[in-house]
Amino acid sequence: MRGSKIFKTILAMILIAVLCINNVSVPGAITTVSAKTTGDAELDEAVRLGIISYKTAKKAKKNALEKDIPPMLQAVYRHGYGKKSKYLAKMTKLAKKGRKASRYWFAMGMFYSYCEHEYGAKVKNAKKFMDTMDKKDYAKKVGFGQFDTGNVGVIHGSKYLTSAYPKGTIADAGIWDLATDADAIPKAKGKRLYRHESGNWWAANIAMKIHDRVTGENVLGLDSKEKWNPAKQMTIGDAAKAALRWWHSFEKPAKKVRFSSIGTYDKSIITDKLLSKTTTLPANSCQNLPADWKGIFFKKLSWVTNEATDGASDRIYRENEFKEIKEAGFNFIRLNLSFSYLQAPNVKKGMINETRLKELDSILAYCMKYDMHLSIVCNQYQDFDEFEDFDKATSLSESGPKTQQEINDFAIIWGGLAHRYAAIPNEYLSFELYNEIDCTESEYAEKCSSAVDAIRKETPNRTIIANIHSNRLTGESVAALGVALSYHLYDPRKFCCFGEWPESEQKDENYVNSIKWPFTSYGYTYDAKMLLDAPLSWPADMAYDGIVPESCITVNKIRAVSKKYNVGFIVNEWGVFGAGFVFRTCRYPDETYQAYLSDVINTFKEEGIPWCVDMTNEWGLIQPYPFIKDVKYKKTGVMYIDTGLKEFYSKINKL
């Protein structure tokens, strides 16, 4: 019996080897590299990974049939989740004989197999399973929150916008409304197919929001005319390349180590050549933050929670973004970072994900390559799960670590990062303890003093910054620790916080276009000089949470504290932010917006204040979609560059 089993095992191994050599897909088998090529690198990779066979790849220009799609997706599902999808195995039975595959059919396969994974659902019958999933309230399943339609972009000139809203208004809507061709898929003249062949709009969101980690492309994005085209038929090549993008969306396996065991950086990413190159960046220390810092704010790693929006679902950094930022004259990037993100996926107390630490290595390496300083700021402390309620997680995060254990672990992570990057010169790297912490003055020092000690134990001279962005704080307690201070300037509030405007004003394009700088609000006329003494978040004609203006902090008050303790100072967030409505068609006229930016930047220069501007969505230099009408964009890679804003920054940053 034993000899018979050995013989069968050897025979099976020989059979698998023969099949692999001939490019036959074997479920669970290790795919080998074929010597044959199609001449198309993406298709060749799809063949190599087992998404399609070489024989099928040679038919790339032919229309894919519905039956062709599930096997491609199944290969990706096995790669990503380590098991076979029962839904995809049964999806083939739903395929109509000889019917050509649409983009929506492909998206449907992604969506329902994703449901199977997220809910751990059993699939006995494909149609009944879809019926069950269609009744789910996905808003209550935070795993789907990362596919929120927020910030997808305006579909300019769409029938939905022009018919549903009066001319001259700013509109908001979901992608299913804006992509007016997406409500049903034509089957034949005068007939349409609904629901399983067309109807669950979440499928569109998932296919549009999952990103290829290599290229940054969506699995199924918008076309050059900003349409999603669900009814468009896919060729075999189209489908294989889309499946390849889904394959690339999965992270490399997590490698967990203890907080106290964070190693040094990956030397294949931050190379000796990078470390030895000459830099033009200014020296810096806790006592001196150089006025030559001209920065821009990144926040894609701000939250671990999948439900986070504001661009946080796209956590991929691309080299061309750093290149464009450098060409715009910036030399400083402030990176909002969740310590919980460094732990995830599958957050476990006391453990950090070395694989995600390498993402941080890559960001630092790009900054070094393009001669830009990286300031890492903790935006969310450790141990928040990625499926935790977003509102609850953000509320708890605001006041920083609370228990003694949380404070200790927070310090250990900072010490670990200090150890990891101990060899990186200050010219390239600084640490900011916590973003916009809201606590009392004494609590701030209690929460952060051990982190300061942990950093200095590893790198005694590392520049450390403490953010002061609460009227409960003065900065005294942390400045006494010898760390530099920072301030966030989003005043005047009525000008800078667009999303807080009354709804009627946000929708009135004529009103938006009437805004000027200098800006008059509540009887005060603001220019940049006045902003240095503007009370934090103060509506000038009314009490705000019982606080009077005299008790509010200002730029100059925090600068005075920094001078008293002989530490540096920076305004490391400022600008205009917020979209009260998801889809927007305009912002302030360039004349107004650039007058504001110019006034503030020139005033900072006169005062010797380093700065870092917010770059959020429609107000920013780099955008995922061409948000604003009448703005000229250049598509670089998968991102859009506001060419007018880039030209403006490049000129003023060279003054």
Side-chain angles (χ1 to χ4, degrees), residues 38-49:
T38 64
D40 185 310
E42 290 176 287
L43 287 177
D44 288 341
E45 184 178 4
V47 170
R48 187 169 70 251
L49 296 174

Side-chain angles (χ1 to χ4, degrees), residues 198-472:
S198 102
N200 193 321
W201 63 272
W202 275 94
N205 286 7
I206 288 180
M208 284 185 64
K209 294 291 272 187
I210 287 183
H211 294 79
D212 182 326
R213 289 177 176 274
V214 177
T215 66
E217 293 279 4
N218 307 103
V219 174
L220 292 177
L222 304 181
D223 66 15
S224 60
K225 296 182 179 179
E226 298 171 334
K227 288 185 177 295
W228 192 65
N229 303 318
K232 184 178 180 181
Q233 294 170 355
M234 300 186 80
T235 65
I236 288 172
D238 291 338
K241 291 178 181 181
L244 180 64
R245 291 192 289 273
W246 188 24
W247 181 294
H248 287 163
S249 75
F250 291 95
E251 290 185 77
K252 293 180 180 179
K255 180 183 178 183
K256 296 294 185 75
V257 298
R258 299 202 63 79
F259 289 164
S260 57
S261 301
I262 295 175
T264 190
Y265 59 84
D266 186 326
K267 292 188 176 181
S268 69
I269 298 173
I270 302 176
T271 63
D272 290 341
K273 184 178 180 180
L274 274 179
L275 272 174
S276 62
K277 80 179 193 65
T278 302
T279 179
T280 61
L281 291 171
N284 63 86
S285 67
C286 290
Q287 291 70 43
N288 177 40
L289 301 187
D292 289 341
W293 275 350
K294 300 178 285 282
I296 203 162
F297 180 29
F298 271 26
K299 51 187 174 182
K300 294 183 181 180
L301 306 186
S302 298
W303 305 103
V304 65
T305 319
N306 277 341
E307 202 178 6
T309 54
D310 198 15
S313 59
D314 173 13
R315 294 188 169 110
I316 302 165
Y317 286 92
R318 308 163 183 89
E319 181 173 356
N320 66 289
E321 294 179 62
F322 294 86
K323 181 175 180 289
E324 293 285 348
I325 288 169
K326 182 64 177 180
E327 288 177 357
F330 294 100
N331 64 3
F332 179 103
I333 287 179
R334 180 176 184 260
L335 176 72
N336 257 19
L337 175 68
S338 164
F339 281 2
S340 294
Y341 177 77
L342 291 181
Q343 294 176 273
N346 303 319
V347 172
K348 185 177 179 181
K349 289 185 178 181
M351 304 296 285
I352 205 112
N353 185 352
E354 178 73 26
T355 302
R356 288 192 170 177
L357 283 171
K358 289 183 180 182
E359 290 182 35
L360 201 55
D361 294 349
S362 295
I363 293 170
L364 178 54
Y366 284 136
C367 286
M368 294 171 70
K369 178 177 179 179
Y370 291 100
D371 215 30
M372 294 187 289
H373 181 93
L374 179 67
S375 185
I376 298 172
V377 52
C378 178
N379 186 69
Q380 181 185 46
Y381 61 95
Q382 66 283 344
D383 297 340
F384 285 95
D385 189 80
E386 63 178 329
F387 294 117
E388 192 143 14
D389 177 80
F390 182 59
D391 290 335
K392 178 184 176 183
T394 52
S395 178
L396 288 170
S397 296
E398 285 176 359
S399 56
K402 296 161 188 65
T403 68
Q404 191 58 52
Q405 185 61 55
E406 287 173 346
I407 292 170
N408 291 344
D409 287 345
F410 177 70
I412 292 172
I413 295 176
W414 266 126
L417 293 178
H419 170 75
R420 187 175 189 86
Y421 300 121
I424 308 299
N426 273 19
E427 283 81 358
Y428 289 122
L429 182 67
S430 62
F431 294 148
E432 185 180 343
L433 296 168
Y434 209 81
N435 181 58
E436 296 191 355
I437 196 166
D438 187 14
C439 60
T440 66
E441 191 69 35
S442 61
E443 288 172 338
Y444 200 170
E446 290 171 7
K447 293 171 186 287
C448 292
S449 59
S450 54
V452 172
D453 291 341
I455 293 168
R456 286 177 172 160
K457 181 179 179 181
E458 299 290 341
T459 49
N461 298 317
R462 179 67 68 202
T463 298
I464 306 172
I465 302 169
N467 179 229
I468 310 300
H469 188 73
S470 166
N471 283 316
R472 295 204 286 165

